[in-house]
Amino acid sequence: MSVFNALHTSIYNKLAAGTALTALLNGGTASLYHQSPPDGATLPYVVWNVQGGGDDNLTAHRTKNVLVFVRGYSSVSAAAAGTIDTQADALLHDQTLSVTGWANFWLAREQDLELAQVTTSGDKTYMAGGIYRIRLGENE
Amino acid sequence: MSVKLDTAKLDRLIADAPGEFSMIVRESAFAISGDAARRAPYDTGALSTGIHATEMGLALWRVQDSVEYGIFQELGFVHRHGGQFIQNPFMIPAVEAERPHFYRNIREFFRR
């Protein structure tokens, strides 16, 4: 399994296990999307993606150092998006992921981000989230 | 017996640090700017050609774009026609790609 597939599976499993988070979403665990929700997906939902990073290449032992952007979207308010973000943060920051084939030795939030988008109908979509640095060491 | 502490190398490091660090940060700032421009989505070219690096102070540079929609490409948005979720991050990937080179340059300075 590629490290990306293993990483995204582990993030999904971590978020899906958070009932306080999934209870806030339109479709529960079905509203957790890697990279891109389906066109016209119903809010609120959570999206995550790798925002940057890669191999450390510091030693012969392979390690990964990637940034993952996890955020919640809501059509209700910035506060509603923030509440989703709070729950996601509780599941991720300073926690440990179970990544097949890799050991997760660092997981910490580094940046807080929020954004509002106005649609053509005048409605707003609110985003609140954070960028997490995830460091992995390949299992020997 | 007397002991003499040789601080010549330390003194030189202290003296050289401001100028050397400024050059290292400058090099990384331009590397990030160029890489971000290469990674940015291209339609009219307004986003990619507007990415630039500006010196803000001693060893302090800012790399930014020049269009209001750059942040939406970086962080993602729902397209108003069709509702597709679109995201084309360009700035953070460029920063992360430069990070190892920046650290290597700092390490090399201290090894002299």
Side-chain angles (χ1 to χ4, degrees):
Chain A
M1 180 183 281
S2 82
V3 63
F4 268 14
N5 292 350
L7 176 62
H8 294 312
T9 297
S10 71
I11 292 171
Y12 174 83
N13 289 340
K14 179 67 84 173
L15 296 176
T19 53
L21 169 66
T22 57
L24 298 170
L25 308 179
N26 176 64
T29 57
S31 291
L32 298 170
Y33 299 113
H34 165 226
Q35 261 190 359
S36 175
D39 296 357
T42 305
L43 296 163
Y45 52 66
V46 166
V47 179
W48 77 91
N49 67 282
V50 169
Q51 193 78 4
D55 281 76
D56 281 319
N57 290 320
L58 292 174
T59 68
H61 180 213
R62 192 171 194 189
T63 55
K64 291 277 185 182
N65 185 343
V66 297
L67 294 180
V68 174
F69 181 24
V70 184
R71 67 281 201 192
Y73 289 89
S74 171
S75 60
V76 177
S77 65
T83 301
I84 296 170
D85 173 49
T86 299
Q87 294 301 329
D89 178 79
L91 294 165
L92 296 172
H93 179 65
D94 209 18
Q95 303 297 313
T96 304
L97 297 173
S98 297
V99 185
T100 303
W102 299 76
N104 175 209
F105 60 92
W106 183 266
L107 170 49
R109 182 166 172 137
E110 290 193 353
Q111 287 187 56
D112 304 323
L113 294 162
E114 64 175 8
L115 198 63
Q117 182 192 349
V118 182
T119 66
T120 49
S121 59
D123 298 328
K124 282 186 178 176
T125 298
Y126 301 91
M127 179 278 282
I131 292 182
Y132 299 82
R133 186 171 297 280
I134 297 176
R135 303 194 69 196
L136 307 170
E138 191 170 28
N139 293 341
E140 298 289 339
Chain B
M1 186 181 77
S2 65
V3 176
K4 182 181 179 185
L5 181 62
D6 183 0
T7 62
K9 186 173 181 180
L10 190 58
D11 291 341
R12 185 169 55 79
L13 278 174
I14 293 170
D16 290 348
E20 290 285 338
F21 284 177
S22 289
M23 290 302 294
I24 291 169
V25 175
R26 177 180 185 274
E27 179 182 325
S28 285
F30 281 115
I32 290 167
S33 175
D35 191 23
R38 182 181 62 78
R39 293 172 185 264
Y42 190 95
D43 183 14
T44 64
L47 174 59
S48 57
T49 57
I51 294 170
H52 60 282
T54 308
E55 187 170 20
M56 308 299 290
L58 184 64
L60 179 64
W61 283 70
R62 174 184 291 164
V63 181
Q64 64 183 87
D65 66 52
S66 304
V67 296
E68 62 185 18
Y69 58 85
I71 189 68
F72 291 98
Q73 290 288 351
E74 180 75 31
L75 301 182
F77 65 102
V78 177
H79 198 280
R80 62 182 183 175
H81 300 300
Q84 300 97 336
F85 187 91
I86 297 170
Q87 185 182 19
N88 297 294
F90 55 95
M91 195 65 81
I92 292 174
V95 172
E96 289 303 305
E98 177 59 18
R99 183 184 298 276
H101 306 121
F102 176 76
Y103 286 155
R104 184 193 62 210
N105 288 339
I106 293 291
R107 279 197 303 271
E108 285 180 359
F109 167 72
F110 283 109
R111 281 179 185 154
R112 288 179 197 168

